[in-house]
């Protein structure tokens, strides 16, 4: 097991809040994700940091993301009352696409929503997991004058 996978598993097991700084340090250790490496179906989860987005995706029945190609991405795959998956285009204001974007000085695979100014940047934990940072207008949580990102993860199905 790689050190990155061990740290990731440790973060997932935590029951209390995780400091943004810990996730920032973890992010800095990871290699950028590639567009080709993102193709597939992924189950998602979040890290509890106290960000105002914590719990909102779960309330909406968020399951994960599906990257069919760089130009065909379902960013908000949710489960209906019967447990069936569907792309929640209403909540996402459309779907999305994948691009290489610079974030924190590195080019990394980034999912760009079609209908809202939100970009999800990804770094590779291993071939089956990525760390994500949601960025953009309206999602940066400002607390005590400090901007905070929403941290989440995806695991390949």
């Amino acid at each position: 097991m790689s050190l990155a996978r061990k740290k990731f598993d440790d973060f997932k097991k935590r029951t209390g809040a995780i400091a943004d700084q810990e996730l920032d340090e973890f992010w800095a250790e990871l290699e950028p994700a590639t567009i080709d490496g993102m193709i597939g179906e992924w189950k998602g989860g979040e890290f509890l940091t106290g960000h105002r987005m914590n719990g909102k995706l779960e309330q909406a029945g968020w399951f994960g993301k599906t990257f069919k190609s760089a130009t065909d991405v379902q960013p908000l795959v949710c489960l209906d009352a019967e447990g069936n998956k569907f792309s929640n285009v209403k909540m996402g204001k459309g779907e999305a696409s994948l691009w290489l974007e610079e974030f924190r000085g590195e080019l990394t695979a980034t999912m760009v929503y079609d209908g809202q100014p939100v970009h999800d940047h990804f770094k590779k934990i291993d071939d089956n997991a990525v760390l994500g940072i949601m960025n953009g207008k309206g999602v940066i949580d400002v607390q005590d004058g400090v901007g905070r990102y929403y941290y989440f993860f995806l695991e390949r199905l």
Side-chain angles (χ1 to χ4, degrees), residues 109-150:
T110 300
M111 189 194 76
V112 179
Y113 282 80
D114 292 341
Q116 55 186 331
V118 176
H119 297 221
D120 289 350
H121 309 287
F122 299 106
K123 297 269 297 253
K124 180 179 174 179
I125 296 166
D126 61 24
D127 289 341
N128 295 308
V130 295
L131 177 61
I133 292 180
M134 186 180 285
N135 186 15
K137 277 187 175 180
V139 295
I140 295 177
D141 189 12
V142 178
Q143 294 180 2
D144 299 322
V146 177
R148 301 176 65 226
Y149 294 107
Y150 175 70

Side-chain angles (χ1 to χ4, degrees), residues 31-49:
E31 68 180 73
T34 65
I35 290 175
D36 287 343
M38 295 302 301
I39 303 303
E41 187 176 8
W42 300 78
K43 177 146 180 45
E46 68 177 1
F47 293 110
L48 300 177
T49 62

